Amino acid sequence: MTPPLLSGLILLPLAGALLVWLLPARLARRVAAGVLVAVLFAAAAAVVAFEPSLPGFQLVERRPWIAGLGIAYHLGVDGISVLFLPATALLFLGALVADWKTAEDAPRFHYSLLLALQACTLGVFCALDTILFFAFWELGLVPVYFLLGHRGIGAAAGRAAPRYFLFMLAGGVPLLFAFLTLAASQGVPTFDLVQLLAAPLPRPTQYMLLVLFLLGFGVKVPLVPLHTWLPQVALAAPGSLVALLAGLKVGAYGLIRFAVPLAPAAAADLHWLLAGLGTVAVLYGAVGTLSQTNLRVVLAYSSISHVGMAVLGLAALDARGVQGAVALVLGFAVASGGAFLLCEFLRQRTGSTDVGSLGGAAGTMPRLADGFLICGLAGVGMPGTSGFPGEMLIVLATLQSHTGAALGALFGLVVGAAGFLSIYRQAFWGPVTRPAVAQASDLLPREWAVLMVVVALAVGIGLYPGPVLDLIAPAAQAWAARLPG
């Protein structure tokens, strides 16, 4: 019997959220910090316990939940999902540091929501029952809504919170319909993902499922034209929350986990659609960075471009493509998440992340400026950073299957890099002209620690990606083996 590591991962933050409410408000931050550190150790233990050479899902836990409907509490991870556990734990710790002083007006409310959101996010990566997955997926909307509405920046937060909630709620409708269709398509209705993966479906059903998954997950990814919520949320939400939403690309994970494996024949027939959606997202996100004047909005458009590359990797329909897509999403969790956290540190010092209110920030905040540059270079896939291995695998895979799309995506990457470097120069170089910038202090020790972890991961994965790619490879090969031909 293996210890219930995955249940512990999910229950730890839930118990922490309850404990935060029971203890005095002055202890809320310390309790939350202790719980998040414990979750990080549990996530690391799950990765250590995972054996890449073994087929299928590992650390599996299965108990009846709603037995009459065939719904179970079913958890497990494979090479596609296991590394998202420590990535989630690290980003939430970074978010705690970013909110160290800004959540003091309602600490119990804030930290309990943060812990609840972590539990739901971990549940999404661990769930092997489609209804359990959907429950975690939908429940995660509640803490985001209140964190955005309560901690949002300016009057825009009051509009961004319901807009986000309604967008995600609408995206949940096709997901639920897809899962119910899957269950009904079996002789005995089941929501068990392992059984569903083993049961071939008629082509017409697969076409319907693929479209439903693209709509449901596409809102969260976000794919163009379902992306319009992200720039508004990036501008209205605190940087710590945007780091979680944009850094942990659960929508891209959903496409990798469900869309293609459950509708492989439809994905093979509609590979051009996946390639088109990915290429449009890459180009649109890259061009979008050129016309923005706010660092957070630039990062939001860059995030759209990132997930476009991941979708393009899926369109290649081979092991290298999906291996690259998973590596890319994990690498950008470091790059995008770190960049958004640094944006929040910058906003807390200067009151703004608009380039018109900055200029010369590198003179007074050199560590912050250097960290932002490294995260930005990782985001555009600079060799030697965490974004490069995944991008390279995706380009290699798609040059053979979708040459035009691959060349278009490469052009988009160049445009995106130009957009980032341009706005970085405006924000951080030149003379200091604003009093808020002139009086700003550089990173505090706790913030410096966050930056060191981000830089170590961004550079470490870029220079030595072998362990990450080797861990993903067997699951990627199993993923590709489901495809026809």
Side-chain angles (χ1 to χ4, degrees):
M1 293 288 291
T2 58
L5 279 175
L6 302 184
S7 286
L9 267 175
I10 297 169
L11 293 176
L12 264 174
L14 285 178
L18 179 61
L19 192 60
V20 163
W21 276 108
L22 294 177
L23 294 176
R26 57 185 173 82
L27 299 177
R29 185 174 61 195
R30 296 180 183 178
V31 171
V35 170
L36 291 176
V37 170
V39 170
L40 177 60
F41 278 107
V47 175
V48 171
F50 183 82
E51 178 50 60
S53 62
L54 297 179
F57 293 97
Q58 300 179 39
L59 306 178
V60 175
E61 304 172 35
R62 195 178 194 283
R63 299 176 184 84
W65 182 22
I66 309 175
L69 298 177
I71 301 172
Y73 175 79
H74 191 186
L75 305 177
V77 290
D78 64 354
I80 289 174
S81 58
V82 68
L83 288 177
F84 284 100
L85 305 182
T88 301
L90 283 170
L91 267 184
F92 272 85
L93 263 175
L96 176 78
V97 173
D99 295 333
W100 196 259
K101 291 295 185 181
T102 59
E104 293 182 343
D105 56 333
R108 288 191 293 190
F109 179 77
H110 175 82
Y111 292 119
S112 62
L113 289 175
L114 189 69
L115 291 169
L117 179 59
Q118 186 185 51
C120 293
T121 305
L122 290 167
V124 164
F125 293 128
C126 295
L128 295 182
D129 182 281
T130 56
I131 296 301
L132 181 64
F133 172 90
F134 184 75
F136 283 126
W137 181 273
E138 292 291 284
L139 287 172
L141 301 182
V142 178
V144 173
Y145 174 80
F146 286 107
L147 284 170
L148 178 53
H150 175 69
R151 294 280 326 289
I153 302 165
R159 298 186 298 271
R163 181 181 176 87
Y164 173 85
F165 189 84
L166 291 174
F167 257 78
M168 297 304 122
L169 205 60
V173 174
L175 281 185
L176 181 59
F177 188 52
F179 292 146
L180 294 176
T181 301
L182 273 167
S185 66
Q186 308 301 309
V188 178
T190 180
F191 298 94
D192 189 301
L193 179 61
V194 178
Q195 294 183 33
L196 292 170
L197 289 171
L201 296 171
R203 242 182 177 83
T205 304
Q206 290 193 32
Y207 278 112
M208 181 177 66
L209 288 173
L210 183 62
V211 171
L212 291 171
F213 283 135
L214 285 174
L215 288 173
F217 291 123
V219 174
K220 192 82 168 183
V221 168
L223 292 173
V224 179
L226 305 174
H227 68 286
T228 55
W229 62 269
L230 182 55
Q232 184 181 21
V233 168
L235 198 58
S240 56
L241 180 58
V242 187
L244 301 175
L245 296 178
L248 296 169
K249 295 179 172 63
V250 293
Y253 169 79
L255 288 177
I256 297 169
R257 170 62 72 214
F258 294 97
V260 178
L262 290 171
D269 293 344
L270 298 177
H271 61 89
W272 54 269
L273 176 61
L274 293 172
L277 289 171
T279 306
V280 167
V282 172
L283 293 172
Y284 181 89
V287 173
T289 62
L290 298 177
S291 59
Q292 306 305 318
T293 60
N294 190 289
L295 291 174
R296 285 181 293 168
V297 181
V298 167
L299 293 175
Y301 277 98
S302 179
S303 178
I304 295 171
S305 192
H306 298 165
V307 292
M309 282 296 295
V311 174
L312 189 58
L314 299 186
L317 301 176
D318 69 359
R320 277 189 310 180
V322 72
Q323 185 185 24
V326 176
L328 187 74
V329 173
L330 286 167
F332 284 137
V334 175
S336 294
F340 274 113
L341 290 175
L342 289 170
C343 267
E344 179 62 11
F345 297 155
L346 182 63
R347 185 193 67 83
Q348 291 173 10
R349 286 161 169 77
T350 64
S352 176
T353 53
D354 193 276
V355 293
S357 301
L358 300 172
T364 55
M365 296 169 279
R367 290 179 175 178
L368 195 155
D370 292 344
F372 194 83
L373 178 62
I374 293 172
C375 289
L377 293 177
V380 300
M382 177 68 68
T385 65
S386 59
F388 180 71
E391 280 189 2
M392 181 183 66
L393 285 170
I394 290 171
V395 171
L396 288 174
T398 52
L399 276 173
Q400 296 180 352
S401 58
H402 304 88
T403 305
L407 294 176
L410 284 173
F411 175 73
L413 293 175
V414 173
V415 173
F420 167 76
L421 291 174
S422 174
I423 199 168
Y424 179 83
R425 178 184 59 80
Q426 297 174 57
F428 289 97
W429 293 356
V432 177
T433 59
R434 303 285 179 174
V437 176
Q439 298 167 9
S441 60
D442 208 353
L443 296 177
L444 299 172
R446 60 176 177 271
E447 297 166 338
W448 177 241
V450 171
L451 177 59
M452 285 296 95
V453 172
V454 169
V455 170
L457 289 173
V459 176
I461 294 173
L463 294 178
Y464 188 49
V468 172
L469 297 179
D470 291 344
L471 193 149
I472 300 169
Q477 292 168 359
W479 185 96
R482 294 188 47 79
L483 297 166

